[in-house]
Amino acid sequence: MSDLFRDVSPEDADLQAIIEGLFGEYAARYGDYFSKDAEIELTEWYLAPQGLFIVLERDGKIIATGAYKPFDDQTAEIKRIWTDKSLRQQGLAARVVQELEHRAVLAGYSQIYLTTGFRQPEAVRLYLSQGYAAQFDLDRDPEEYSQPPFDGRLRFTKTLVREAFSKSA
């Protein structure tokens, strides 16, 4: 059993069923809550040198995904973190996040920004466990963030330290 990261285009045919499944999971959790402000996404945002879309493969099968796109000149925004349902709770998403951070440093970014939805406690735990700083009150009921003046997104940030990655390279 060997795991391998591979760079892909977000338009890669192998990804389409996974992306549709990811958005299906969002729809199951949120209904049309987020559809009112559907994001416009451009493929080029996820391509080098400013962006990245990766898959983690095991024996040729995609088992996890993740991406980043530019948020600003110093900040990459992490997106599309997904793990195969049958392999969750095994640290794969953490590996994807760590690889994205490493690659973001190599691309010249010094910060990471990301959002997750108010009904994704497993994502909140993941990002906190990876050293991300919550930009919201962790003691509040996350459902409160679905009501005005909030937009349902729980925001996180992290400063990337180039030296931390050079030691592990």
Side-chain angles (χ1 to χ4, degrees), residues 36-57:
K36 65 183 177 294
D37 19 87
E39 289 182 61
I40 295 172
E41 295 278 314
L42 299 179
T43 298
E44 64 212 41
W45 293 343
Y46 296 101
L47 301 176
Q50 76 277 1
L52 177 69
F53 204 114
I54 59 173
V55 296
L56 180 59
E57 293 180 333

Side-chain angles (χ1 to χ4, degrees), residues 7-80:
D7 298 9
V8 297
S9 165
E11 295 178 348
D12 188 303
D14 293 341
L15 274 181
Q16 298 321 300
I18 291 168
I19 299 295
E20 288 173 23
L22 177 62
F23 284 109
E25 286 185 45
Y26 294 158
R29 286 186 197 223
Y30 298 105
D32 65 355
Y33 180 88
F34 285 110
S35 66
K36 65 183 177 294
D37 19 87
E39 289 182 61
I40 295 172
E41 295 278 314
L42 299 179
T43 298
E44 64 212 41
W45 293 343
Y46 296 101
L47 301 176
Q50 76 277 1
L52 177 69
F53 204 114
I54 59 173
V55 296
L56 180 59
E57 293 180 333
R58 179 173 292 160
D59 301 323
K61 179 182 181 233
I62 297 173
I63 60 171
T65 68
Y68 68 73
K69 65 180 185 177
F71 184 75
D72 63 32
D73 288 344
Q74 294 82 38
T75 310
E77 180 178 3
I78 288 184
K79 305 285 280 181
R80 309 295 177 257

